[in-house]
Structure formats: C-alpha cells, structure tokens
Amino acid sequence: MESTDGQRGRDSSSSSSGGGSGVKRSPLEVLMNQIRRKRTATDRKPLGRLLSRNSEKNLISEEVETERKEERKPSADPAESERDIGWGRVCVFLQRLGKKANSKNLSLAHCDLTATDLLELATLLQFLPRLEEVDVSWNELIGGCLRALTSHLQQVGGIKALKLCSCRLNADDVIALGEALGCVPLLDVLDLSYNGGVGDGALQGLLGNLHPPLRELHLVSCQLNAADAAALGGMVSALSTLCVLDVSCNPRLAQEVEGVGGFRELTSSLSHASSLSTLRLQACGLTADGLDALGGSLRYLPSMRELDLSCNKTLSGGLSRLTSHLAHLTHLESLDLHLCCLTPADLDALIQVLPSLTALTELDVSSNKEAGAVIHPLVSALPLTQMRRLPLNSCSLTEDSFTALALAAPFLRSVDVSWCKVVSGRLALLLDALQPSIILELRLSSCDLTTDDLRHLAAVCRRGSLSSLRVLDLSYNGSVCDDGWSSLFSAGGLSSLQDVDISLRPLTSAPCSAWLPALLSAVPQLPALTRLALQRWNSSMQERQQLKHRLRKRSVLLEWDCSGVMSSSKLTNQESTEESQPEE
C-alpha cells in the first residue's frame, strides 16, 4: 500500500512538472497547478493576486477601473456628447461663482454678476433644458443688460419662477422682459422688487405680456406711481390665476394727480382675480378714498387670507370706509394694520367687524398708541382659541390692557409687548398665563424689566413652560442686575432657543463679567442656537475668547461690538499692556 501511494505521488509530481521532468515540486506548487487546471483560461488571475491578503480589494479596484474606461469611451451620439460638454461648461461657470450646479434651479443671487457674466450665462441656457427657477437677484451690475439674458429664454421654456430683485433694471430691461415672457408660458412667479427703474411708467412694458398660470407678482419698492397702478390694473384683469400681489413700499401708488388716480383702476381690476389670497399694500400712501375703492372689490375676493395695509399713516380716521366690507372676507386669517395712526374711531370700527372674521389667526395693531386703551374690547371680539399672533408693541398699554392681554396669552404662539413700560414688575402676570410648549416667540425689548422679572422668567424656564421657545428678545433692559441675568442663564429649559438678544441701548454700556460664566455654562444646553446678540456689554478680551471658543464649532452669529472690550479694570489694562509687548 505504501509503495502504491508513493507511486501516485511521484506520478502526480512528474505530470505536474510538465514534460516528465525530474525536477521536484513543492506541495504548494502542486496544489496551485491543480487549481489552474480547474480554471478556464479567461478566468485565471496571477498567482500573486491569489496569495495577496488584499485580493478582494484588488479585484474591486480592477472592476472600477474597467467601468471608468467604459465611461471615458466617446459617446456614439454626437448630440449626447455635446450635452455632456455643455453641462461641464455650466458646472465650471457656477463653480467660478461659488455655486453648485443644479439642472432645475439656477440660484445666482448676491454673486456680483457683470454684463459679461450675464451674456455667458445666456449662452449656457441651452444646456439646461430642465430649468424651472432662475434667481439673479441682488446683482446691481446687470442693469441695462437684461436683453442679453431674455433673448435666450426660449431655450428654457419650462421656467416657473423668475426673480430679478435689486438688479437696477431700467425701462429698456422691462421692455425686453415683456417681449420674452411669451417664451415662458409656464411662468408661475415673477419678482421684480427693489428696482426703481420699473416704476415711473416703465411698468407698461409688461402690459399685455403677463398671462396665466402666473400666481405670484412681486413689485416691492419699485417707485410705482399712479400710471403704473393703472397699467397694473390692466395686467391683473388678465390674470385669473393670480394668488399673491405684493406692491408694498410704493408711496405714490395710491396718490391722485389732478384728481385722477390709477389706484382705483387697480382695485376695480381685483374683481377679475377671484383666486387672490394675499394682497400686500404696505406703505402705499393709502387714503380714506383709497380704502373706499378697495372695499368695493373685497366682495369679489372670497379666497383672501392675508391683507396687509400697514405703514399707511394717511388712512388715519378712514378705516370705517373699509371695515364695513371686511365681513365679506370670511376666510381672512391675517390682518396687518401696524403703524397706521389708528384713531379711537378706527379702532371701534375694527372691533365691530372682528366677530365676523371667524378664521382670523393674526391681527397686528402694534405701533398705534391709541390701541392701548381698547385692548379689553379688542380681545373680547377676537376668536381667542385660534389666535396665534397679537403683537402689541408700542401701543401704550395700561395696567388694565396688560391684564386683558393675559386672557389671550394662553393661545398665542408669539407675544410682543416691547416698548411697553407697564410690563416692568408685572411680567409674572403674563408668563403665568402662557401655555407650555405653545409659545414660540417672546419679545420684551425696552420694557424696563426688573431683576425680579428675570427671576420669574428663570423659574418659568426651569419648569419647562418655555421648552419650545425659539426667539427671546430682552434687549434694552439695562436695569436688570447681574443676579437676574445669572439666574436666567442658569435655569435651563430652553433647548429649542434659536435667537437671543440681550443687547443694551445705544450710547450705554455695562460689565458682564459677573454673569458671563453662567452664559458660558448654558451654551452647551442651547443646541439650536443660531444668533446671540450682546451689543454694548463690556468684557475682557479673555472673556470674549472664552465665549468664541464655546461657539467655535457651531454656526452661531455672535453680535458683540468690539467697543465693548473692558478697559476700566487695572488688571485688564495690565494684561493688555503685557500682550502688546514683544516676547524676549
């Protein structure tokens, strides 16, 4: 038996040596020869590859390299190859501007674009057939050159949003845009805000060129006058799909010239825009006559949900000419009348119509001093259970009106009583009325808050009643002692807080060394923080560096003016002197 086995081993060894050679092979070589015979010729790999510990990794690398070689093969379709080259040019262009390429969204706002850049961009549109949004806002150097872009819009006919804010557009640009709008039949949003050259009659360049399905038209601060208002009326008449019209900050829009005003034509055209849900007329020079004209159209706007008439001081005393028509807006959710110099008669007229506005969730009568005397009847007329915002900053609140506000506080998501000195010493009344996990914003700027007020605020935080709070404004309350600030920052319970402002008034300052350690300890417990304002609080350079160190790996905007570096302390002066001396 042993001789037979030995013979088999010798036969195997001799056969594997090839040609019956007498050279002896090691057992490993014999084994590898047997493996080779079992593999096909196309499947064989070098011996070193099999013996390598990284054989699997090498095999993967080889496959990836093969795929890359296949990707580098020239496309059989010349058109496809040209598109690839074009997309590469688009990527290079956007990379030069610090932007990432997106085939559907071209966002180039604040890029300091020049006329040359605009021309290059226009030539690249042909490689963006899926483009839906173009935003070149806040590029003031492209004014007067818009035709270079609009002449190529036919290559991106699927555009749904076009934003050209603050580009110094002139009348020629508006005409060029109007001529090209027919090439973008799917346009849904057009924003030309902050272009003074769009007004003074230039808006007529768009007349007859705006068509459905346009849903949003923004013309904020465009120097629109009565003639533009008339032209705008003609556009609105043809836009049955219009949902948002914003012509705020055009103070001449509602003015009449020699008894003739285009604002009446604009308001009458609203009867054709039954889909309108948002109308913003902030700071448009509205008068009582303008409100009368607007009121006549409200019955045709059943979808209206937001009406902004703020910052129109000239409507003072004439609100009753509008309120009688507000009852038609059964779906109205937001009414903004802040800074309108409302009179007691205006407020009484408003209070009478409020019960009809059953869908109302936001009412802004802030910065109207007379409002402070009617808060109780105002709150009583509101649908309190659904109210979310009722800002009353700068309303000259009295003790009674502040107490009345506490009735609405449990339902509000935003409370703003800034610049109301009656809050001083009475903050507990408001805080105890807030519902936990509902309030999102609390603004108490310039309320003459006391140290006890801050201690009570700290206690509310400690209970978790402000766990959802995102904005806390305690600025301009310099009368709070160090202990008050320390107790607030040591309380915790503000894990959702994003924005904190405890700045001091201009031309004032105070040291923060006593409570800054509490703030430093609180920073890790504020994971959502994005802004921290500490203007005019004095500190040493070392203390500033400590706070910056705590925020070093977080995207938090720290607003702390350099003039607040403490210089009165002898120790700080000595440290500053030592730091300024060169090392030996």
Short mmCIF file of all heavy atoms in Angstrom, two decimals, residues 13 44 71 105 148 165 190 208 220 231 276 301 314 323 408 437 439 441 460 482 495 547 556-557 563 572:
data_model
loop_
_atom_site.label_atom_id
_atom_site.label_comp_id
_atom_site.label_asym_id
_atom_site.label_seq_id
_atom_site.Cartn_x
_atom_site.Cartn_y
_atom_site.Cartn_z
N SER A 13 3.58 14.30 -9.24
CA SER A 13 4.65 15.28 -9.26
C SER A 13 5.27 15.38 -10.62
O SER A 13 5.54 16.47 -11.12
CB SER A 13 5.70 14.92 -8.21
OG SER A 13 6.77 15.81 -8.26
N ARG A 44 -8.47 33.07 -15.30
CA ARG A 44 -7.26 32.95 -14.50
C ARG A 44 -6.74 34.31 -14.04
O ARG A 44 -6.83 35.29 -14.76
CB ARG A 44 -6.17 32.23 -15.29
CG ARG A 44 -6.52 30.78 -15.57
CD ARG A 44 -5.48 30.12 -16.43
NE ARG A 44 -5.88 28.77 -16.78
CZ ARG A 44 -5.23 28.00 -17.65
NH1 ARG A 44 -4.15 28.48 -18.26
NH2 ARG A 44 -5.67 26.79 -17.91
N GLU A 71 -16.68 54.51 -19.19
CA GLU A 71 -17.28 55.84 -19.14
C GLU A 71 -16.52 56.82 -20.00
O GLU A 71 -17.08 57.76 -20.55
CB GLU A 71 -17.31 56.34 -17.70
CG GLU A 71 -18.30 55.58 -16.83
CD GLU A 71 -18.25 56.06 -15.39
OE1 GLU A 71 -17.38 56.91 -15.11
OE2 GLU A 71 -19.05 55.58 -14.58
N ASN A 105 -32.61 74.36 -10.77
CA ASN A 105 -32.62 75.61 -10.01
C ASN A 105 -31.32 76.35 -10.23
O ASN A 105 -30.24 75.87 -9.87
CB ASN A 105 -32.81 75.30 -8.52
CG ASN A 105 -32.99 76.55 -7.69
OD1 ASN A 105 -32.77 77.66 -8.16
ND2 ASN A 105 -33.38 76.39 -6.45
N ALA A 148 -29.66 90.62 -22.93
CA ALA A 148 -28.70 89.55 -23.21
C ALA A 148 -29.20 88.21 -22.67
O ALA A 148 -28.93 87.15 -23.24
CB ALA A 148 -27.34 89.89 -22.60
N CYS A 165 -34.76 90.65 -8.33
CA CYS A 165 -34.81 91.70 -7.32
C CYS A 165 -33.50 92.51 -7.32
O CYS A 165 -32.41 91.95 -7.44
CB CYS A 165 -35.03 91.11 -5.93
SG CYS A 165 -36.50 90.09 -5.78
N LEU A 190 -43.11 85.82 -10.63
CA LEU A 190 -42.29 86.89 -11.19
C LEU A 190 -42.03 87.91 -10.09
O LEU A 190 -42.96 88.49 -9.53
CB LEU A 190 -42.97 87.55 -12.38
CG LEU A 190 -42.20 88.71 -13.03
CD1 LEU A 190 -40.86 88.23 -13.57
CD2 LEU A 190 -43.02 89.35 -14.15
N GLY A 208 -49.99 93.45 -21.18
CA GLY A 208 -50.37 92.54 -22.25
C GLY A 208 -49.46 91.34 -22.42
O GLY A 208 -49.70 90.49 -23.28
N VAL A 220 -42.27 95.06 -4.98
CA VAL A 220 -42.00 95.83 -3.76
C VAL A 220 -40.96 96.91 -4.06
O VAL A 220 -39.93 96.65 -4.69
CB VAL A 220 -41.50 94.90 -2.64
CG1 VAL A 220 -41.17 95.70 -1.38
CG2 VAL A 220 -42.52 93.82 -2.35
N ALA A 231 -51.62 100.64 -15.20
CA ALA A 231 -51.08 99.56 -16.02
C ALA A 231 -51.18 98.22 -15.28
O ALA A 231 -51.52 97.19 -15.87
CB ALA A 231 -49.63 99.84 -16.38
N LEU A 276 -57.25 85.51 -5.75
CA LEU A 276 -56.29 86.26 -4.94
C LEU A 276 -56.44 85.90 -3.46
O LEU A 276 -57.51 86.04 -2.88
CB LEU A 276 -56.50 87.76 -5.14
CG LEU A 276 -55.37 88.67 -4.66
CD1 LEU A 276 -54.11 88.44 -5.49
CD2 LEU A 276 -55.78 90.13 -4.74
N LEU A 301 -63.47 88.79 -3.64
CA LEU A 301 -62.24 88.10 -3.26
C LEU A 301 -62.53 87.09 -2.14
O LEU A 301 -62.03 87.24 -1.01
CB LEU A 301 -61.18 89.11 -2.81
CG LEU A 301 -60.81 90.17 -3.84
CD1 LEU A 301 -59.85 91.19 -3.23
CD2 LEU A 301 -60.19 89.54 -5.07
N THR A 314 -51.65 107.79 6.31
CA THR A 314 -52.64 108.69 5.70
C THR A 314 -54.05 108.11 5.72
O THR A 314 -55.00 108.83 5.38
CB THR A 314 -52.24 109.01 4.25
OG1 THR A 314 -51.93 107.80 3.56
CG2 THR A 314 -51.03 109.93 4.22
N THR A 323 -63.83 98.78 6.84
CA THR A 323 -64.29 97.72 7.74
C THR A 323 -65.68 97.22 7.41
O THR A 323 -66.00 96.04 7.64
CB THR A 323 -64.25 98.21 9.20
OG1 THR A 323 -64.99 99.45 9.29
CG2 THR A 323 -62.83 98.45 9.65
N ALA A 408 -55.63 86.43 26.31
CA ALA A 408 -55.31 85.86 25.01
C ALA A 408 -53.99 85.10 25.03
O ALA A 408 -53.75 84.26 24.15
CB ALA A 408 -55.24 86.97 23.96
N SER A 437 -45.15 74.68 25.90
CA SER A 437 -44.92 74.07 24.58
C SER A 437 -45.74 74.71 23.46
O SER A 437 -45.87 74.13 22.39
CB SER A 437 -45.21 72.56 24.62
OG SER A 437 -44.44 71.93 25.60
N ILE A 439 -45.86 78.64 23.15
CA ILE A 439 -45.23 79.92 22.84
C ILE A 439 -43.90 79.69 22.11
O ILE A 439 -43.07 78.89 22.55
CB ILE A 439 -45.02 80.74 24.13
CG1 ILE A 439 -44.49 82.13 23.80
CG2 ILE A 439 -44.12 80.02 25.11
CD1 ILE A 439 -45.51 83.01 23.14
N GLU A 441 -42.29 82.67 20.37
CA GLU A 441 -41.55 83.93 20.39
C GLU A 441 -42.00 84.77 21.58
O GLU A 441 -43.20 84.91 21.83
CB GLU A 441 -41.80 84.72 19.09
CG GLU A 441 -41.29 84.04 17.83
CD GLU A 441 -41.49 84.92 16.60
OE1 GLU A 441 -41.88 86.09 16.77
OE2 GLU A 441 -41.25 84.44 15.49
N VAL A 460 -39.96 80.09 35.29
CA VAL A 460 -40.83 79.53 34.25
C VAL A 460 -40.02 78.63 33.33
O VAL A 460 -40.49 77.56 32.91
CB VAL A 460 -41.51 80.66 33.45
CG1 VAL A 460 -42.27 80.11 32.26
CG2 VAL A 460 -42.46 81.45 34.36
N ASP A 482 -27.01 91.97 37.81
CA ASP A 482 -26.25 90.79 37.39
C ASP A 482 -26.91 89.50 37.85
O ASP A 482 -26.91 88.49 37.12
CB ASP A 482 -24.83 90.86 37.96
CG ASP A 482 -24.03 92.01 37.36
OD1 ASP A 482 -24.37 92.43 36.23
OD2 ASP A 482 -23.09 92.48 38.02
N SER A 495 -34.04 74.48 25.37
CA SER A 495 -33.31 73.68 24.39
C SER A 495 -33.68 74.00 22.95
O SER A 495 -32.93 73.68 22.03
CB SER A 495 -33.56 72.19 24.66
OG SER A 495 -34.94 71.90 24.60
N LEU A 547 -16.01 82.77 25.16
CA LEU A 547 -17.31 82.58 24.52
C LEU A 547 -17.15 82.11 23.08
O LEU A 547 -17.86 81.21 22.62
CB LEU A 547 -18.12 83.87 24.58
CG LEU A 547 -19.53 83.80 23.98
CD1 LEU A 547 -20.34 82.69 24.64
CD2 LEU A 547 -20.25 85.14 24.14
N VAL A 556 -23.13 79.87 14.82
CA VAL A 556 -23.87 80.85 15.62
C VAL A 556 -23.38 82.26 15.26
O VAL A 556 -22.17 82.52 15.30
CB VAL A 556 -23.69 80.60 17.13
CG1 VAL A 556 -24.42 81.67 17.94
CG2 VAL A 556 -24.19 79.22 17.51
N LEU A 557 -24.31 83.13 14.93
CA LEU A 557 -23.96 84.53 14.66
C LEU A 557 -23.85 85.27 15.98
O LEU A 557 -24.84 85.47 16.69
CB LEU A 557 -25.04 85.17 13.78
CG LEU A 557 -24.88 86.68 13.51
CD1 LEU A 557 -23.58 86.96 12.77
CD2 LEU A 557 -26.07 87.21 12.73
N SER A 563 -16.20 97.62 20.62
CA SER A 563 -16.05 98.74 21.55
C SER A 563 -16.37 98.33 22.97
O SER A 563 -16.11 99.07 23.91
CB SER A 563 -16.96 99.89 21.13
OG SER A 563 -18.33 99.48 21.13
N THR A 572 -7.10 94.27 33.56
CA THR A 572 -7.27 94.15 32.11
C THR A 572 -6.28 95.04 31.39
O THR A 572 -5.69 94.66 30.38
CB THR A 572 -8.71 94.51 31.70
OG1 THR A 572 -9.62 93.69 32.42
CG2 THR A 572 -8.91 94.33 30.21
#
